[in-house]
């Protein structure tokens, strides 16, 4: 028997597959297409760690199974290579990010190839390649044309250390996600993408896709659709205070029941999802940024206190302000009151941090009886909490002149960064013509080389320092103009990359229409849980926009979306360089082989959950493969004997069949289990069932060649190299990759349990479910204790019992 030499085998087959283009997707084919997708990696300087390949292997299993099922599979890969780590490295070392990226992708590519993942490498893309980002820029221009890209001065999250604007999600606990510095608010002109225009559809169309329920939920939560009412509350000067000077007795004893007939100073529009609680509204809260506050400056008696509070709030992020465990703060606007339109009662007006300027109308009616946040606040500031009966939401809303509205938590997408390593935004600023898009024929606007990658002190991108690049001609009036120096966020390139794989070398358009029609939508997209909100939402948004322009054939990009858990370091902590617990797959591949690593990563635990790595347990995966290897050589022997016409001495035909049938039966069960488990991403249980099969096959005296072949086929998605090697040793001329996925024999599985008839004196009286292997004794016993049978026997003893195997049992009395 040959030794199992993983190094030799894996190298041999990787070369074979590459030479034969085994995994190339065909743009023309009679086969049904299947597009499987993983989130393309960011090629970091640290190279691959064992967590990276988990999703690649998972989708590889799916893709390989699909090929055997007769599909023309597209399983592509590329690099999401713009981003801060490379840029920060460039800032530190002065190295050109292009050079760094090239080196990093070379490492990643070599490492991924060593794992035998069936990617179609001929379609490799890189978001930092000008030939790629030309189209990212082109899509931006389409947004601009349609008015969905616009500039706005907004308060953005600003990291004073990285000198860059941050998206809300890049702020963790009030600090910059990358460097930990407390984030400030800063007003800046930013490019925005109007994703909110698509909020309704992004929410609704989730009904039509097959995403894991928790993924749909996180999309929906992020979009934050709410149906409610907008209701105006009049603001008046505080009559109670005005009167107290002249007629102090007037207000005494009235409590909150002060009725006002003052003419209003203005009104505050509140947004509420609970108009039915309006009678319980005991105060009104404005966001500290609410425009009414400045307008009412004269009427507000405690202006300096108010102003101080407003300034304090400025540097707080929305996330901090609405954190559930945070104690709420606020200041009453003295000198003014609001009128509850439902009952004309005067209620106090406050500003408080828990009301956000960016949501709803930036003002609320507070109902402490029904709303927890309001109750906390009311308790803290001793505001009335009253229990009033609920009313009909629609009717009330109508009565008080409000209207039903739909609001979304989703905000427009801040699309500019003041950084170097990103796609330049393709517009110029002309004094005469304003913002002018770069003509499409001039794309791509390439990133120029710079000496220094540091953002400027004013927080502009380093591009601003390259006057040769910045100063340009206006495409419209040919006068002097300046290029935009902001670049795109690194979510840009990943918002449409799956479209480029379809036609990665096209120079005329981002992807050929016919090819898009053939390949899209993506049939199955698997990715990390951390991307189930933003990346997924952003790319769905781009896709819908392109769909509206008639540029892609479907309204949704991904039919199905699943997510995998992370691989943690030994002991269950996150793998990180700083903890020194990062496992490099190169070592594992060298010592145990890629197949062992693959099997181990799929066996390690449920695919959707995070699991801890254990180098010790990898041995189990290796032993399994060795077992399969040994069985292979026994199949060989029996095959040779058979073909040379020798009978097998000492093994009579009878025993022969019995043993084969029990293995065949288990094989059938295993084929079914593996086939179904793969579809549910239950890779771990698929492997454990194959482990059981291998153990049984090893014990069996004879392993039929046909059975073993089927085993290799279902193993091949997990351990493709060894499966291919053993397949060819059986004398197969073609790759296992072009064979046909085995089916299972239903009879062999389902007939395990059969229904037999119970007869009494030859007449059918009842039925009994039995196991096909159940012995006669047990069947007789169960028959006699059957309720119906006992009733017929009426205490008499059976004279005779005749059992016809798996058919009937006759009790003669
Ligand atoms: C009265 C009320 C009574 C409310 C009650 C809720 C429960 P969602 O579901 O998240 O849309 N709200 C409105 N605008 C707000 C803002 N800018 N900042 C903070 N809170 C705001 O929540 C809508 C509810 O959140 C609204 O309905 C409002 O409080 C509050 F028993 O009005 B509600
Ligand atoms: Zn001009």
């Amino acid at each position: 028997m040959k030794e199992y030499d993983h190094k030799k085998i894996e190298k041999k087959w990787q070369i074979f597959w590459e030479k034969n283009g085994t995994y190339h997707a065909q743009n023309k084919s009679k086969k049904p297409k299947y597009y499987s997708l993983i989130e393309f990696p960011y090629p970091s300087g640290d190279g691959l760690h064992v967590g990276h390949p988990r999703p690649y292997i998972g989708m590889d299993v799916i893709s390989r199974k699909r090929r055997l099922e007769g599909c023309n599979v597209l399983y592509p890969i590329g690099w999401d290579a713009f981003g801060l780590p490379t840029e920060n490295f460039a800032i530190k070392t002065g190295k050109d990010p292009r050079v760094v990226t090239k080196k990093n992708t070379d490492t990643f590519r070599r490492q991924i190839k060593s794992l035998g993942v069936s990617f179609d490498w001929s379609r490799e893309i890189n978001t930092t390649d000008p030939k790629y980002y030309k189209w990212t820029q082109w899509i931006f221009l389409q947004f601009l044309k349609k008015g969905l890209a616009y500039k706005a001065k907004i308060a953005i999250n600003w990291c004073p250390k990285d000198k860059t604007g941050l998206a809300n999600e890049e702020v963790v606990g009030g600090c910059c996600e990358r460097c930990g510095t407390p984030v400030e608010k800063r007003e800046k002109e930013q490019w925005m993408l109007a994703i909110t225009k698509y909020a309704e559809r992004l929410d609704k169309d989730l009904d039509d896709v097959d995403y894991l329920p928790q993924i749909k939920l996180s999309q929906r939560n992020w979009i934050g659709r709410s149906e409610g009412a907008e209701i105006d509350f009049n603001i008046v000067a505080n009559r109670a205070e005005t009167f107290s000077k002249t007629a102090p007795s007037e207000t005494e004893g009235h409590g909150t029941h002060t009725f006002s007939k003052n003419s209003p100073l203005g009104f505050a529009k509140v947004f509420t999802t609970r108009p039915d609680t309006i009678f319980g509204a005991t105060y009104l809260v404005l966001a500290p940024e609410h425009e009414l506050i400045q307008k009412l400056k004269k009427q507000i008696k405690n202006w300096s206190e108010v102003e101080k509070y407003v300034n304090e709030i400025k540097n707080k992020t929305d996330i901090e302000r609405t954190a559930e465990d945070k104690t709420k703060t606020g200041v009453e606007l003295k000198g003014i009151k609001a009128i509850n339109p439902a009952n004309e009662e005067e209620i106090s007006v406050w500003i408080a941090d828990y009301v956000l300027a960016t949501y709803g109308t930036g003002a609320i009616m507070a109902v402490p009886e029904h709303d927890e946040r309001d109750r906390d606040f009311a308790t803290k500031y001793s505001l009335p909490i009253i229990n009033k009966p609920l009313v009909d939401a629609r009717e009330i809303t109508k009565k008080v002149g409000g209207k039903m509205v739909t609001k979304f938590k989703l905000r427009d997408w801040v699309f500019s960064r003041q950084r170097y390593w990103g796609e330049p935004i393709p517009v110029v600023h002309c004094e005469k013509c304003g913002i002018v898009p770069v003509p499409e024929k001039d794309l791509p606007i390439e990133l120029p080389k710079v000496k220094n990658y540091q953002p400027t002190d004013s927080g502009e991108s380093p591009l601003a320092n390259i006057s040769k690049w910045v100063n340009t001609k206006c495409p419209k009036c040919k006068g002097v103009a300046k290029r935009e120096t902001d670049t795109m966020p690194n979510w840009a390139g990943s918002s449409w990359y799956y479209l480029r794989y379809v036609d990665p070398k096209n120079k005329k358009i981002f992807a050929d229409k016919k090819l898009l029609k053939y390949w899209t939508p993506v049939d199955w997209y698997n990715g990390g849980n951390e991307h189930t909100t933003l990346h997924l939402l952003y790319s769905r948004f781009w896709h819908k926009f392109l769909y509206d322009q008639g540029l892609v054939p479907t309204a949704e990009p991904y039919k199905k979306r699943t997510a995998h858990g992370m691989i943690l370091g030994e002991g269950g902590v996150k793998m990180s360089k700083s903890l020194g617990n990062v496992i490099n797959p190169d070592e594992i591949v060298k010592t145990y082989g890629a197949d062992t690593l693959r099997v181990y990563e799929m066996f390690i635990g449920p695919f959707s959950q995070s699991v801890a790595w254990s180098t010790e347990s990898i041995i189990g995966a290796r032993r399994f493969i060795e077992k399969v290897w040994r069985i292979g050589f026994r199949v060989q022997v029996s095959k040779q004997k058979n073909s040379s016409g020798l009978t097998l001495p000492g093994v009579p035909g009878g025993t022969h069949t019995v043993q084969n049938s029990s293995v065949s039966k288990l094989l059938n069960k295993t084929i079914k289990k593996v086939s179904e488990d793969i579809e549910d991403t239950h890779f771990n249980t698929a492997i454990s069932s194959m482990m059981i099969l291998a153990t049984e096959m090893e014990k069996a005296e004879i392993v039929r060649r046909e059975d073993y072949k089927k085993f290799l086929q279902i193993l091949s998605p997990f351990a493709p190299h060894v499966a291919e090697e053993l397949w060819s040793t059986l004398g197969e001329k073609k790759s296992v990759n072009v064979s046909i996925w085995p089916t299972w024999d239903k009879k062999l599985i389902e007939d395990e349990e059969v229904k037999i008839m119970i007869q009494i004196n030859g007449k059918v009286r009842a039925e009994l479910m039995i196991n096909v292997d159940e012995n006669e004794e047990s069947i007789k016993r169960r028959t006699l204790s059957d309720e119906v049978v006992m009733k017929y026997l009426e205490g008499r003893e059976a004279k005779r019992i005749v059992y016809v195997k798996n058919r009937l049992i006759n009790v003669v009395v």
Side-chain angles (χ1 to χ4, degrees), residues 115 299 446 509 526 644 669 768:
L115 303 176
Q299 277 78 26
E446 282 197 44
I509 187 158
N526 182 81
S644 59
K669 269 190 178 168
L768 186 72

Side-chain angles (χ1 to χ4, degrees), residues 363-640:
I364 67 155
M365 63 175 202
V367 187
E369 175 67 21
H370 292 286
D371 186 295
E372 218 173 294
R373 297 159 296 180
D374 298 341
R375 191 175 321 123
D376 290 350
F377 192 80
T379 310
K380 180 168 171 190
Y381 293 101
S382 309
L383 291 160
I385 302 174
I386 57 172
N387 185 0
K388 288 281 161 121
L390 301 182
V391 291
D392 183 89
R394 269 171 201 283
E395 234 168 71
I396 219 356
T397 308
K398 233 165 100 189
K399 225 184 194 152
V400 297
K403 64 169 200 248
M404 299 304 286
V405 289
T406 305
K407 298 275 178 192
F408 296 90
K409 292 261 155 63
L410 189 65
R411 298 280 72 101
D412 275 351
W413 173 7
V414 183
F415 198 68
S416 34
R417 298 284 186 280
Q418 292 69 48
R419 306 291 303 209
Y420 173 75
W421 194 226
E423 302 87 345
I425 291 179
V427 301
V428 302
H429 299 269
C430 167
E431 266 177 40
K432 249 176 44 209
C433 315
I435 291 172
V436 181
V438 168
E440 288 175 11
K441 66 169 180 30
D442 293 343
L443 297 181
I445 298 300
E446 282 197 44
L447 271 176
K449 298 225 156 127
V450 298
K451 284 216 183 69
N452 183 1
Y453 300 96
Q454 198 89 39
T456 68
D457 287 335
S458 62
E460 280 175 288
S461 125
L463 296 176
N465 284 335
I466 320 230
S467 48
K468 227 175 106 193
W469 185 81
V470 171
N471 295 316
T472 183
K473 259 200 233 147
C474 168
K476 238 190 204 163
C477 71
K478 310 291 174 213
V480 290
K482 282 191 187 312
R483 284 194 193 286
E484 171 65 64
T485 60
D486 278 4
T487 54
M488 300 186 196
N490 65 326
W491 302 104
S494 60
S495 289
W496 72 280
Y497 74 111
Y498 56 92
L499 297 172
R500 187 65 176 170
Y501 283 138
V502 161
D503 193 11
K505 299 190 175 79
N506 199 323
K507 288 189 178 135
K508 297 205 181 83
I509 187 158
F510 66 91
D512 178 78
K513 245 189 187 163
K514 268 201 210 112
L515 291 177
L516 285 169
K517 183 127 211 258
Y518 177 65
W519 284 115
T520 66
V522 170
D523 292 280
W524 190 336
Y525 189 16
N526 182 81
N529 281 305
E530 70 279 21
H531 291 140
T532 53
T533 44
L534 297 171
H535 158 62
L536 210 54
L537 202 63
Y538 291 155
S539 59
R540 290 181 61 224
F541 161 50
W542 279 45
H543 194 87
K544 284 188 181 309
F545 171 73
L546 294 172
Y547 176 66
D548 288 352
Q549 315 314 310
L551 295 166
V552 295
T554 60
E556 283 287 333
Y558 320 117
K559 256 195 202 164
K560 176 181 176 127
R561 166 82 186 198
T562 52
H564 60 275
M566 279 196 294
I567 290 188
L568 305 166
E570 304 230 6
V573 286
K574 201 173 164 167
M575 269 191 197
S576 80
K577 220 175 155 188
S578 59
L579 287 172
N581 63 350
V582 176
I583 310 271
N584 184 329
D586 289 353
E587 290 302 307
I588 309 290
V589 169
K590 211 165 112 195
T591 319
Y592 302 97
D595 282 335
T596 296
L597 177 73
R598 294 172 59 110
V599 167
Y600 178 63
E601 292 219 359
M602 292 297 98
F603 184 60
I604 190 168
F607 188 64
S608 59
Q609 287 168 28
S610 291
V611 279
W613 178 266
S614 157
T615 297
E616 209 176 291
S617 347
I618 207 167
I619 298 289
R622 167 79 188 199
R623 291 210 178 113
F624 163 60
I625 290 174
E626 284 170 354
K627 193 178 282 178
V628 177
W629 180 262
R630 285 197 301 270
I631 300 167
F633 283 87
R634 297 203 16 248
V635 175
Q636 286 298 102
V637 172
S638 59
K639 183 199 136 206
Q640 279 169 2

Side-chain angles (χ1 to χ4, degrees), residues 6 58 156-157 182 237 354-355 362 387 459 497 509 556 583 675 727 747:
H6 65 261
I156 58 155
N157 303 307
Y354 78 100
V355 173
N387 185 0
Y497 74 111
I509 187 158
E556 283 287 333
I583 310 271
S675 303
W727 183 260
K747 265 185 267 153

